[in-house]
Amino acid sequence: MASHPPRPFRGSGPLRALFGLLMISALAGVLVAGMALPFVGTAGLAAKSASDHFEDIPDDLKTPDLPQRSQILAADGSVIATVWGDFGNRVIVPFSAISPNVWQALVATEDSRFFQHGGIDIKGTMRAFVSDLGGSNQGGSSIAQQYVKNVLVLQAGNNKAAYADATGDSVARKVRELKYAIAVEQKFSKTEILERYLNLVPFAENVSGIETAAERWFGVHASQLTIPQAATLIGMLKNPVAYDPAKHPQAATDRRNTVLDRMSDPTVHYITPQQAVAFKAMPLGLNLQPQHSGCIYAPGSSAFFCEYIEQEILNDPIYGKTKADRAAFFNRGGLTIKTTMDPKTEAAAEKAINDNVSATDVPGAAIAMIQPGTGQIKAMAQSRDMGTGEGQTYLNLAADPAHGGGNGYQAGSTFKSFVAMAAMEKGLTPQYVQDLPYQIDESQTKFTTCDTPAGFTQDTKWKPTDETQAEQGPQTMTSALWNSVNNYFIKLQEQTGLCEPARLAAAAGLTIDSDSGAGKRLEQIGSFTLGTNQVTPIAMANAYATIAARGMYCKPTAISSITDTSGKQYPVATPDCHQTIDPSLTDQLTGMLQGVVDKGTGAKVRDYFSGPAAGKTGTNDSRLMTWFDGYTPNLAAAVWVGVVSPKPGDKGLVNVKIHGQYYDKVCGGCLAAPIWGEAVNGALAGTSPPGFSVPELPGDIPAPTQPPTTPNPPGTPPGQANGGQNGGANGGFIGGFIGGQ
């Protein structure tokens, strides 16, 4: 029976009677058309017309694949979320997995002559029409006819015209159902028809099919349904909403009792009258199970991992040429989607975030964790849960726009790593010394780019400074990384040019993200090394995973397999790994970045994690955003803490309380680094991570040979944020970057 029962004819008595007689005549004509029985008058003409139409209908009903619910699983097989589309929560089961009580209740109630007729019960149909003349609206369709109608409703989908055609009161619809029902009976056995019918029919509350109905209202499988339970569910089919036992228990009880009476009828005799009496005295005995469809019901931050998976399927052409095709593939369901998410790593990431940043704090926080050498995303977590309430969001703070995220965040001094590699590629060593003042004047400096090999002169108003005056004087490349000395790397860009570090960053996987998922080239401006480009935590985690994998870039992946209920495997993105950076460069960088954790700005990592670690802190202009991006030999992670949607005039994370702790100035080393250490420690607990293949490099700073060439501005306080009051120009140049801590 369809979810929308046919409406009875609403005319006056004589008109209603005439309509009924014509319908009977027409249908009778159809049924005996091949027998050449004579009909005369109006009824005969109606029968001939219906018979002609009957012959024009195709013999075979196209039965579509039934939409089913899908499950999104973690790497260990545990369920992250269950999802289904517009056509209901359905799990298809074979006939052998359906209790006989179910089909007996169905046959007794809907089609008692089911096993005797060939798809059309002429006696039942005629009886129903005669009964309808008296206003009782008695159903007369066979189970095969009801199956046909439900198939046509399913095929109609959201097409209103097709739905109206499948459910209307026209003779044409009845004729079509009759012929298709005969074809169904010829094509399938009786048990196959029952199986298909019981897997197809809609119940209330977006439940479809007997297995999910048994689960929803009684908490059992269809194979375990008792006689009164089966009678309750079959009774719903007449009007799923009116007989919903959870919302209308008395109506559902009365309807169940009617089904039990029919099951005890002598013509079917599936139960005895005494059994019927006993069962009717029983309460409904509901055991309601919740229905949760969608990523929003996944626990905590795994909801965003789940959403990332859904968007990955909707964006990937291997699942359909158009987005509509891919949406149809996903909504058809019946899929088991296994992801790369490691529950242990995810739990560690989420705990580290929640231990340091509260959902309602001014800043948000996010972490992405990726396995070097595979690109597999092992975890993504954030401080704000999915939703619309206080401290909630639907924005994936770790992802790009194509996966439910934003446009990223300025990376701060984490980009100094790419300038360092570019310098070593030019032949400079980790011991290369520059002796620089606290503040430098770039008015005469020329930076070359990929497009301007002759270079461009920096805006004369930009006078970048270090984080503190203590950083002025000689520094090696290694010590400058340890302490994140801004001017060292700004001046280093004169020798590397901006094209080379931008190329190395791109080789590690960094681009500017867009809604389409296609990245564009990073901006090559003087503050490149201070992280003016906007990137996502997933992109930064993967870039540092490339460094951990000794220059082997792997495209981030989150899906390991997709199969349907038949066991068919669908393609997934194959690992896209290739060497993009010379291992000698990444090895030297790893040797330097180990000291950032042991002796430099990332030292708070060691409050939580004692294993091998290398990484880089970053803090952007006005302290709106802070980072720690780092890696062990077998796990890379990027932590971002910052203002989610900064506005002009925002003061940044200064004099702010976060998770109950007061910060006068938030920095990458004082908040992002501890989160990273706690998350990695939890993820790798119980394992023995391998050591780095390269030793930590020394960062000895030679004694100064001469005083700084440019004195500090009079009255400049220690720790001033790099002259942020001096705006920049030249292609969107942003001055005033902290970059370091």
Side-chain angles (χ1 to χ4, degrees):
M1 182 174 292
S3 58
H4 301 270
R7 295 180 295 278
F9 183 71
R10 299 296 184 186
S12 62
L15 288 176
R16 183 181 178 88
L18 177 59
F19 177 81
L21 289 171
L22 289 174
M23 287 290 287
I24 292 172
S25 300
L27 291 172
V30 169
L31 299 178
V32 299
M35 301 170 62
L37 293 181
F39 284 85
V40 296
T42 303
L45 293 175
K48 184 178 187 306
S49 175
S51 177
D52 291 342
H53 178 62
F54 187 83
E55 294 301 324
D56 293 336
I57 299 172
D59 290 329
D60 191 21
L61 172 68
K62 293 182 179 179
T63 54
D65 293 334
L66 294 182
Q68 297 187 71
R69 69 186 183 195
S70 295
Q71 286 192 318
I72 299 176
L73 309 180
D76 66 350
S78 58
V79 177
I80 299 174
T82 302
V83 297
W84 58 82
D86 295 337
F87 294 100
N89 179 12
R90 176 185 286 108
V91 175
I92 295 176
V93 292
F95 187 74
S96 60
I98 301 173
S99 168
N101 299 325
V102 177
W103 64 258
Q104 289 173 5
L106 175 65
V107 169
T109 307
E110 298 294 334
D111 189 358
S112 62
R113 291 167 41 81
F114 174 71
F115 290 103
Q116 284 77 51
H117 64 68
I120 303 173
D121 184 2
I122 299 177
K123 180 179 178 181
T125 300
M126 296 304 177
R127 183 182 66 248
F129 274 109
V130 171
S131 178
D132 282 353
L133 296 181
S136 68
N137 191 31
Q138 183 184 74
S141 297
S142 69
I143 289 174
Q145 287 173 265
Q146 293 182 38
Y147 170 71
V148 167
K149 182 175 182 178
N150 278 280
V151 167
L152 295 175
V153 168
L154 179 64
Q155 288 176 335
N158 295 320
N159 186 317
K160 293 182 179 180
Y163 176 82
D165 185 50
T167 59
D169 290 328
S170 68
V171 173
R173 178 184 70 80
K174 277 293 183 183
V175 169
R176 181 172 64 243
E177 282 182 12
L178 290 170
K179 184 160 187 180
Y180 280 145
I182 294 172
V184 165
E185 290 273 5
Q186 292 174 342
K187 184 175 182 179
F188 303 115
S189 69
K190 292 290 186 178
T191 56
E192 287 175 327
I193 294 171
L194 291 173
E195 175 187 315
R196 286 171 170 268
Y197 178 94
L198 289 168
N199 279 308
L200 171 61
V201 286
F203 291 83
E205 302 180 13
N206 211 26
V207 171
S208 295
I210 192 63
E211 173 70 9
T212 318
E215 174 188 278
R216 163 61 182 152
W217 282 283
F218 295 106
V220 299
H221 293 293
S223 62
Q224 300 169 309
L225 287 168
T226 64
I227 290 173
Q229 289 172 341
T232 300
L233 296 180
I234 293 302
M236 291 177 68
L237 298 180
K238 182 177 182 181
N239 190 324
V241 175
Y243 297 123
D244 182 345
K247 296 179 179 178
H248 307 289
Q250 187 57 55
T253 300
D254 294 342
R255 177 62 181 163
R256 176 202 67 178
N257 294 345
T258 298
V259 175
L260 291 170
D261 284 338
R262 292 185 183 176
M263 292 180 74
S264 67
D265 188 282
T267 59
V268 293
H269 197 61
Y270 288 128
I271 60 175
T272 67
Q274 293 78 14
Q275 286 178 306
V277 171
F279 291 140
K280 287 160 64 176
M282 296 173 62
L284 288 174
L286 302 181
N287 181 18
L288 298 176
Q289 301 300 308
Q291 288 197 103
H292 290 156
S293 172
C295 293
I296 194 171
Y297 291 103
S301 289
S302 63
F304 293 99
F305 201 111
C306 173
E307 178 68 17
Y308 188 98
I309 296 299
E310 182 173 341
Q311 295 304 317
E312 184 78 355
I313 291 173
L314 295 178
N315 291 332
D316 196 328
I318 64 176
Y319 303 113
K321 291 183 178 180
T322 67
K323 194 151 190 173
D325 293 336
R326 299 189 288 272
F329 167 77
F330 186 79
N331 291 330
R332 186 169 69 246
L335 304 173
T336 298
I337 305 167
K338 195 168 187 180
T339 74
T340 60
M341 189 189 89
D342 176 61
K344 177 186 173 185
T345 305
E346 178 72 15
E350 185 164 3
K351 183 177 185 302
I353 290 285
N354 293 338
D355 284 350
N356 291 275
V357 181
S358 299
T360 55
D361 285 338
V362 171
I367 182 173
M369 307 182 82
I370 293 179
Q371 185 179 63
T374 67
Q376 290 188 1
I377 303 173
K378 293 299 182 181
M380 63 179 76
Q382 62 187 58
S383 59
R384 298 177 184 177
D385 287 339
M386 184 176 286
T388 57
E390 184 180 7
Q392 295 181 325
T393 182
Y394 277 98
L395 186 70
N396 187 334
L397 302 180
D400 60 4
H403 293 90
N407 292 319
Y409 315 98
Q410 291 181 330
S413 288
T414 59
F415 264 42
K416 288 173 181 171
S417 294
F418 306 112
V419 178
M421 284 195 293
M424 291 184 290
E425 192 175 44
K426 291 284 188 179
L428 301 179
T429 70
Q431 290 75 41
Y432 174 66
V433 177
Q434 292 190 98
D435 189 353
L436 299 171
Y438 166 73
Q439 184 179 68
I440 56 178
D441 185 344
E442 289 297 283
S443 61
Q444 301 304 314
T445 301
K446 283 190 175 182
F447 294 110
T448 61
T449 70
C450 295
D451 300 323
T452 59
F456 68 89
T457 302
Q458 187 56 55
D459 190 302
T460 58
K461 293 182 180 180
W462 186 53
K463 300 181 185 300
T465 68
D466 289 325
E467 171 73 2
T468 68
Q469 291 187 12
E471 293 170 1
Q472 67 182 343
Q475 297 275 354
T476 66
M477 194 185 308
T478 301
S479 67
L481 274 175
W482 290 2
N483 300 306
S484 201
V485 181
N486 291 341
N487 286 341
Y488 182 97
F489 287 94
I490 290 171
K491 295 296 287 185
L492 194 61
Q493 289 179 146
E494 291 185 73
Q495 301 181 60
T496 66
L498 298 176
C499 184
E500 287 72 14
R503 175 179 55 78
L504 287 167
L510 293 176
T511 57
I512 297 175
D513 296 310
S514 66
D515 291 336
S516 67
K520 62 180 181 179
R521 194 172 70 177
L522 297 169
E523 286 188 288
Q524 296 172 35
I525 52 181
S527 59
F528 178 91
T529 193
L530 302 181
T532 51
N533 280 284
Q534 295 189 160
V535 291
T536 65
I538 287 178
M540 286 306 296
N542 201 51
Y544 275 74
T546 301
I547 299 170
R550 305 186 66 224
M552 177 72 72
Y553 164 82
C554 296
K555 183 179 180 181
T557 59
I559 301 174
S560 57
S561 67
I562 299 178
T563 57
D564 64 17
T565 54
S566 69
K568 177 181 177 181
Q569 292 191 347
Y570 292 88
V572 296
T574 56
D576 181 10
C577 297
H578 49 280
Q579 195 76 32
T580 58
I581 302 175
D582 188 332
S584 67
L585 300 179
T586 58
D587 285 351
Q588 291 182 88
L589 181 63
T590 295
M592 292 189 282
L593 293 183
Q594 290 177 71
V596 173
V597 174
D598 290 330
K599 303 179 180 68
T601 57
K604 282 189 175 292
V605 165
R606 291 305 184 200
D607 291 348
Y608 297 91
F609 181 64
S610 60
K616 185 69 190 73
T617 55
T619 305
N620 91 319
D621 191 23
S622 301
R623 298 185 185 274
L624 288 168
M625 300 161 194
T626 67
W627 295 78
F628 184 83
D629 304 334
Y631 53 95
T632 71
N634 57 350
L635 187 64
V639 176
W640 168 86
V641 181
V643 178
V644 175
S645 301
K647 300 177 180 60
D650 280 352
K651 295 181 179 179
L653 303 180
V654 178
N655 299 321
V656 63
K657 186 175 285 189
I658 302 174
H659 202 266
Q661 181 176 341
Y662 175 79
Y663 293 84
D664 58 348
K665 295 184 298 184
V666 176
C667 59
C670 58
L671 186 51
I675 293 173
W676 188 97
E678 183 180 348
V680 171
N681 187 64
L684 299 180
T687 68
S688 299
F692 287 114
S693 59
V694 293
E696 182 176 321
L697 295 178
D700 298 335
I701 302 174
T705 58
Q706 60 184 20
T709 57
T710 303
N712 296 328
T716 301
Q720 179 176 313
N722 302 354
Q725 72 277 9
N726 297 320
N730 283 328
F733 189 90
I734 301 175
F737 271 72
I738 297 168
Q741 303 293 320

